[in-house]
């Protein structure tokens, strides 16, 4: 608790940090509310800018964009029936009917309240959980670390994506691409094919922008209708349609708290993400409801449940990253890249080093302040934001985003080769998305691969028993066993689903 108070003291003593938090909240809400844009895409485009920023400023901006973007997706879901983020798809089920029933303000304010409460509960779990887990893993050696990385590869491969095989292929592709450049231990050049620019390996920034921005824009351009922009259809406003009454408030609070717990638990598990949490909470609360027939017709609880669970994922998804060095989501993988760029080594040691500890708790404080900021923006201004976005034609918006991508890719290292890498990554990201291959699994594998290889080879050098050392270390064996159990469970679940479809 003292460290967190020190984090707030650091944050409030730095006016620029506060400015970045407020600005990031505005940007995040706008990005999340714009159909076709995602928080991951916005963060990927901004990564080059963070190279020249103070580490705390960079992390504060990125984490608040991610948080505000999750909420912003509810604006598009409610106003346009087009979820701004994948996780907001569950919000459309009751949010848009509320809008059409003349209750847009009520729906948006419910989303703001539920999002903020869920996010706050998730962040409390992050703050206390990350420190506790890191303290348990302080004695990890290279053997245990490689077992953690191997478990992460297998779990992410099997959980993310349309199938286990495609998940494994995407992860394998990420590992292969990460091997381009210098060897992890000896420094010899691999897989450069005589191309000088590949001798140093591929940089994270152009891959990020290509996979998550260019590929997303290509998908959107392919599916975009010929209309100038999203259209908000608001029914005739009814009494109390723009405010939450006290009885309604009393109804949504228990739903919000229960859904926040569901989202927090799911957030800890790598690869599941906000979409799973939102639909899980929605389904659970609909089952508990005394009037399940009202759900899907504009039930206020149907907005509160997915929004609370969706945002509660935000904090806990960072726990594996900070405590173990394993990103549990796409945004966590991007933030890992930013941490490494700034020389901050994640894992158990992050809380032992005084400088990194101070930055991390400042980062926690920025996240909590960001929640308050986007709540105020959303509660009082979400309707205005939705109406502005409805008037923004994509034929003007998308060219600016493309241009920003090229500038961002070049600016990271002032290298034209990175622009070519971005274009190629964008093309392959588009192909992967169309084929059901997970770009998130690819990115996480790319970020972790070199460190995993280093830990694997280091453990073999330190062992006289070769690969059998992984059977001698109980912790390593437990992580490998956990990964295999998840793999077997997913295979069995897939077989069950296929047999049910065949019937």
């Amino acid at each position: 608790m003292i460290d967190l108070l020190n984090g707030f003291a650091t944050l409030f003593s730095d006016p620029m940090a506060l400015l970045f938090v407020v600005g990031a909240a505005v940007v995040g809400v706008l990005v999340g509310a714009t159909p076709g844009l995602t928080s991951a895409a916005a963060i990927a485009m901004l990564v080059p800018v963070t190279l020249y920023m103070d580490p705390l400023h960079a992390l504060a901006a990125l984490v608040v964009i991610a948080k505000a973007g999750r909420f912003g997706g509810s604006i598009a879901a409610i106003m346009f029936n087009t979820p701004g983020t994948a996780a907001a798809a569950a919000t459309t089920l009751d949010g848009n009917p509320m809008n059409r029933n003349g209750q847009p303000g009520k729906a948006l304010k419910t989303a703001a309240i539920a999002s903020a409460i869920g996010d706050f509960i998730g962040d409390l779990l992050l703050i206390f959980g990350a420190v506790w887990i890191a303290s348990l893993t302080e004695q990890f050696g290279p053997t245990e670390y490689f077992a953690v990385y191997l478990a992460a590869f297998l779990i992410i491969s099997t959980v993310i994506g349309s199938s286990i095989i495609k998940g494994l292929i995407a992860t394998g592709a990420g590992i292969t691409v990460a091997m381009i450049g210098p060897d992890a231990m000896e420094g010899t050049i691999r897989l450069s094919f005589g191309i000088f620019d590949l001798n140093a390996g591929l940089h994270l920034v152009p891959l990020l922008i290509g996979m998550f921005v260019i590929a997303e824009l290509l998908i959107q351009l392919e599916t975009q209708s010929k209309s100038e922009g999203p259209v908000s259809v608001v029914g005739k406003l009814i009494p109390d349609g723009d405010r939450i009454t006290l009885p309604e408030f009393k109804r949504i609070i228990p739903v919000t708290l229960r859904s926040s717990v569901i989202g927090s638990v799911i957030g800890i598990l790598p690869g599941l993400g906000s979409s799973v949490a939102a639909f899980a909470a929605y389904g659970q609360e609909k089952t508990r409801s005394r009037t399940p027939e009202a759900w899907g017709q504009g039930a206020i609880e149907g907005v509160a449940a997915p929004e609370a669970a969706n945002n509660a994922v935000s904090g806990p998804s960072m726990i594996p990253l900070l405590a173990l060095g394993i990103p549990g989501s796409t945004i966590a993988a991007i933030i890992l890249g930013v941490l490494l760029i700034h020389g901050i080594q994640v894992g158990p040691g992050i809380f032992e080093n005084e400088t990194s500890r101070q930055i991390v708790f400042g980062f926690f404080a920025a996240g909590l302040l960001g929640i308050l900021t986007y709540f105020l923006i959303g509660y009082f201004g979400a309707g205005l934001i939705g109406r502005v976005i409805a008037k923004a034609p994509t034929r003007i918006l998308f060219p600016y985003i493309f241009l920003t991508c090229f500038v961002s890719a070049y600016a990271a290292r002032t290298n034209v080769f990175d622009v070519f890498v971005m274009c190629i990554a964008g093309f392959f990201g588009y192909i992967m998305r169309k084929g059901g291959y997970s770009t998130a699994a690819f990115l996480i594998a790319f970020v972790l691969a070199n460190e995993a290889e280093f830990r694997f080879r280091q453990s073999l050098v330190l062992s006289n028993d070769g690969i059998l050392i992984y059977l001698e270390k109980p912790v390593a064996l437990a992580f490998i066993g956990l990964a295999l159990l998840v793999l077997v469970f997913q295979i069995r679940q897939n077989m069950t689903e296929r047999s049910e479809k065949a019937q």
Side-chain angles (χ1 to χ4, degrees):
M1 183 60 71
I2 293 176
D3 286 316
L4 182 59
L5 292 176
N6 290 336
F8 274 108
T10 301
L11 193 66
F12 280 100
S13 65
D14 187 346
M16 283 301 296
L18 295 176
L19 182 63
F20 277 118
V21 168
V22 175
V26 174
V27 170
V29 172
L30 289 173
V31 167
T34 304
L37 294 182
T38 64
S39 299
I43 291 173
M45 286 191 291
L46 291 174
V47 166
V49 179
T50 65
L51 303 179
Y52 309 100
M53 295 168 60
D54 177 88
L56 178 57
H57 297 171
L59 292 171
L62 296 185
V63 74
V64 174
I65 287 175
K67 288 177 173 295
R70 289 178 191 271
F71 161 70
S74 67
I75 298 176
I78 292 167
M79 298 292 286
F80 316 127
N81 202 30
T82 305
T85 61
T91 307
T92 63
L93 299 176
D94 282 279
N96 190 252
M98 287 185 69
N99 179 44
R100 293 174 180 272
N101 293 341
Q103 301 173 301
K106 190 190 297 287
L108 291 169
K109 288 176 180 178
T110 300
I113 292 171
S115 296
I117 292 175
D119 217 337
F120 179 74
I121 291 174
D123 267 20
L124 290 181
L125 183 59
L126 163 66
I127 293 167
F128 296 104
V131 177
W132 178 68
I133 294 175
S135 67
L136 296 179
T137 58
E138 286 177 355
Q139 305 304 317
F140 275 18
T143 307
E144 288 81 6
Y145 266 115
F146 175 73
V148 171
Y149 287 128
L150 179 61
F153 288 143
L154 287 176
I155 292 172
I156 289 167
S157 298
T158 55
V159 173
I160 298 180
S162 58
S163 75
I164 295 174
I165 297 299
K166 290 181 178 180
L168 290 170
I169 291 173
T171 300
I175 293 172
T176 302
V177 171
M179 289 183 177
I180 297 173
D183 178 275
M185 291 189 72
E186 299 174 2
T188 55
I189 305 301
R190 305 177 298 189
L191 302 177
S192 67
F193 306 104
I195 301 173
F196 176 77
D197 288 294
L198 291 178
N199 288 347
L202 292 177
H203 199 253
L204 177 63
V205 171
L207 280 178
L208 280 177
I209 297 173
M211 285 279 182
F212 293 103
V213 187
I214 299 296
E216 179 67 28
L217 289 176
L218 292 176
I219 293 287
Q220 292 297 326
L221 287 173
E222 183 181 35
T223 58
Q224 191 72 242
S225 66
K226 294 183 179 180
S227 62
E228 287 293 294
V231 178
S232 174
V233 180
V234 182
K236 184 178 180 180
L237 289 176
I238 64 173
D240 293 328
D242 274 332
R243 71 183 187 91
I244 301 172
T245 63
L246 183 59
E248 289 170 334
F249 184 77
K250 291 180 179 179
R251 275 164 39 207
I252 65 173
I253 289 300
V255 171
T256 297
L257 294 176
R258 287 192 298 266
S259 299
S260 298
V261 173
I262 292 173
S264 296
V265 172
I266 290 176
I268 298 174
L269 306 175
L272 294 185
S274 301
S275 298
V276 174
F279 280 102
Y282 185 91
Q284 175 67 21
E285 290 302 322
K286 183 178 180 180
T287 302
R288 292 176 59 98
S289 175
R290 295 179 180 178
T291 56
E293 68 280 358
W295 287 59
Q297 307 299 318
I300 193 170
E301 298 93 332
V303 174
E307 281 303 304
N310 167 17
N311 286 270
V313 168
S314 178
S317 67
M318 298 293 292
I319 292 177
L321 169 64
L322 296 177
L324 300 171
I326 304 294
S329 65
T330 302
I331 290 175
I334 297 173
I335 290 177
L336 171 60
V338 174
L339 287 166
L340 296 177
I341 288 170
H342 283 282
I344 302 172
Q345 192 63 43
V346 294
I350 196 170
F351 296 104
E352 296 176 359
N353 181 284
E354 186 59 34
T355 302
S356 61
R357 186 182 182 92
Q358 185 177 5
I359 291 173
V360 170
F361 277 97
F363 164 73
F364 290 160
L368 293 172
L369 182 60
I371 294 171
L372 175 62
T373 307
Y374 82 66
F375 165 73
L376 294 174
I377 294 171
Y379 192 87
F380 295 104
L384 175 62
I385 291 171
R387 289 190 291 272
V388 170
I389 289 174
K391 297 178 181 179
T394 54
R395 62 181 176 82
I396 294 177
L397 181 63
F398 281 7
Y400 278 107
I401 297 174
F402 269 114
L403 179 61
T404 304
C405 290
F406 281 87
V407 173
S408 298
Y410 176 79
R413 296 191 298 179
T414 61
N415 188 341
V416 176
F417 182 75
D418 284 343
V419 177
F420 289 106
V421 171
M422 178 199 72
C423 294
I424 294 171
F427 173 74
F428 278 102
Y430 169 77
I431 297 297
M432 289 176 69
R433 291 275 299 275
K434 294 291 289 183
Y437 295 88
S438 172
T439 52
F442 175 94
L443 173 65
I444 293 173
F446 174 82
V447 172
L448 297 180
N450 284 325
E451 183 67 17
E453 180 191 5
F454 178 76
R455 296 291 188 177
F456 175 69
R457 294 173 65 177
Q458 190 181 38
S459 64
L460 295 183
V461 168
L462 297 175
S463 168
N464 293 323
D465 298 323
I467 201 168
L468 293 178
I469 191 174
Y470 292 98
L471 302 179
E472 300 169 0
K473 298 280 189 176
V475 174
L477 189 60
F479 275 108
I480 294 172
L482 173 64
L484 293 175
L485 282 175
V486 172
L487 179 61
V488 170
F489 174 78
Q490 287 296 121
I491 291 174
R492 182 177 178 181
Q493 188 176 37
N494 285 6
M495 291 176 65
T496 302
E497 289 176 357
R498 287 181 182 177
S499 63
E500 288 177 354
K501 289 180 180 179
Q503 294 173 0

